[in-house]
Amino acid sequence: DELREVRPAELLIETSGSFFDRRELPPDLRRWMVRRFAELPLQYVVVETRSDILDDEALASTVADLKPTGLVVELGVESLDPWILKHCINKDTGPDSVETAVRKIHQHGAYATANVLVGTPFLSLNEQIQDSIRTVRGVLDMGFDNAVVFPVSVKRHTLTGWLWDRGLYRQPSLWALVDVLKALDPEVLGRVFISWHRPRTEIPPGHTAPIGPTTCPACYETVATLMDRWRSEIDRPSLLREIDALQCA
């Protein structure tokens, strides 16, 4: 009832890993959920999945059950570098799996979004930035409708959290995210979104708040507020120039 009253344009469904993983979400429950979502006044339902478990049957039934609401499938690409995926992120899905998944998504009439990481552990700052730039360019060339760039947030009880506690890892500041966006061609900026540039305020019970990216205290709120405008900003190249022109006190 609350969703009907608020009438949001999108509904993001988060699982612990993949909306299409039968072990996480049994097919009967998934179809029941999707049919309930279709009754709501939504434009899109956004789900997350791994590229290597996306099968045609599940994708086709989800698209059909949601109509006329559109389906957006987010893939946790992170990086398109196989070595970085294996040795820095511990992820066994590579570019071939991602490219196959994008074709499937489009063949069934859904939209594809790539999630790209900024701040991969075990890389230098320059390597982190350059890998993110290559990945954003690569996923857009591959056919993704959009890319979402995520600066790392450190979570407790993870490897990055363990490294953080021992002084072995510090995620890059928001300026690294700005550097990634500045390196992209202006004509593709309309397809590039950002997320997690501010700390998450909704923390599940039993969880601790992640440590988000910052700048120095003098300029953080100014930079973060300008980044807040990214989603609604039409002239993103001008917004980047405005951010880049900031002088930190």
Side-chain angles (χ1 to χ4, degrees):
D1 290 337
E2 290 183 12
L3 285 175
R4 292 182 188 280
E5 186 174 327
V6 176
R7 300 182 69 84
E10 296 181 0
L11 179 63
L12 171 63
I13 307 302
E14 291 187 317
T15 67
S16 61
S18 176
F19 184 77
F20 293 104
D21 190 332
R22 294 170 177 265
R23 297 169 299 177
E24 293 184 37
L25 196 59
D28 290 345
L29 177 57
R30 183 184 67 237
R31 296 202 69 174
W32 177 85
M33 291 173 61
V34 168
R35 288 167 179 166
R36 293 296 301 272
F37 300 152
E39 298 172 1
L40 299 171
L42 299 167
Q43 295 180 25
Y44 301 101
V45 168
V46 184
V47 301
E48 299 176 276
T49 189
R50 284 173 57 98
S51 60
D52 56 343
I53 63 170
L54 188 60
D55 67 85
D56 288 288
E57 181 182 354
L59 190 53
S61 66
T62 301
V63 171
D65 289 340
L66 265 182
K67 286 183 176 179
T69 302
L71 175 67
V72 179
V73 181
E74 290 191 351
L75 300 180
V77 177
E78 321 304 358
S79 170
L80 286 178
D81 186 308
W83 191 94
I84 290 175
L85 284 170
K86 179 178 180 180
H87 297 288
C88 299
I89 303 178
N90 192 29
K91 206 161 193 175
D92 57 2
T93 54
D96 291 343
S97 172
V98 169
E99 195 162 11
T100 299
V102 174
R103 286 198 299 268
K104 286 183 181 180
I105 292 167
H106 287 155
Q107 285 168 0
H108 290 285
Y111 302 92
T113 294
N115 294 338
V116 178
L117 195 64
V118 181
T120 300
F122 309 112
L123 301 180
S124 68
L125 176 59
N126 182 62
E127 289 170 335
Q128 292 170 340
I129 293 170
Q130 294 305 315
D131 181 61
S132 299
I133 294 168
R134 288 192 298 269
T135 300
V136 173
R137 289 172 176 166
V139 295
L140 295 179
D141 288 344
M142 197 179 282
F144 277 89
D145 299 288
N146 297 300
V148 182
V149 186
F150 288 78
V152 166
S153 289
V154 176
K155 299 178 182 179
R156 299 300 181 188
H157 313 298
T158 65
L159 177 57
T160 51
W162 186 93
L163 293 169
W164 172 279
D165 288 339
R166 289 155 180 80
L168 300 174
Y169 174 75
R170 289 292 182 268
Q171 80 268 52
S173 77
L174 285 178
W175 290 112
L177 174 60
V178 173
D179 286 341
V180 172
L181 298 173
K182 284 168 49 183
L184 303 175
D185 294 333
E187 57 267 25
V188 305
L189 291 178
R191 297 164 61 196
V192 179
F193 296 85
I194 62 174
S195 192
W196 292 8
H197 64 288
R198 282 188 181 271
R200 302 191 77 173
T201 56
E202 297 180 0
I203 310 300
H207 290 247
T208 55
I211 303 167
T214 63
T215 61
C216 78
C219 66
Y220 170 74
E221 191 57 38
T222 302
V223 175
T225 299
L226 287 170
M227 299 305 290
D228 291 340
R229 290 169 42 193
W230 187 267
R231 176 177 288 272
S232 59
E233 184 66 47
I234 296 175
D235 187 359
R236 289 177 173 173
S238 293
L239 177 58
L240 277 178
R241 287 193 292 272
E242 187 176 348
I243 297 171
D244 199 39
L246 288 175
Q247 296 294 320
C248 180

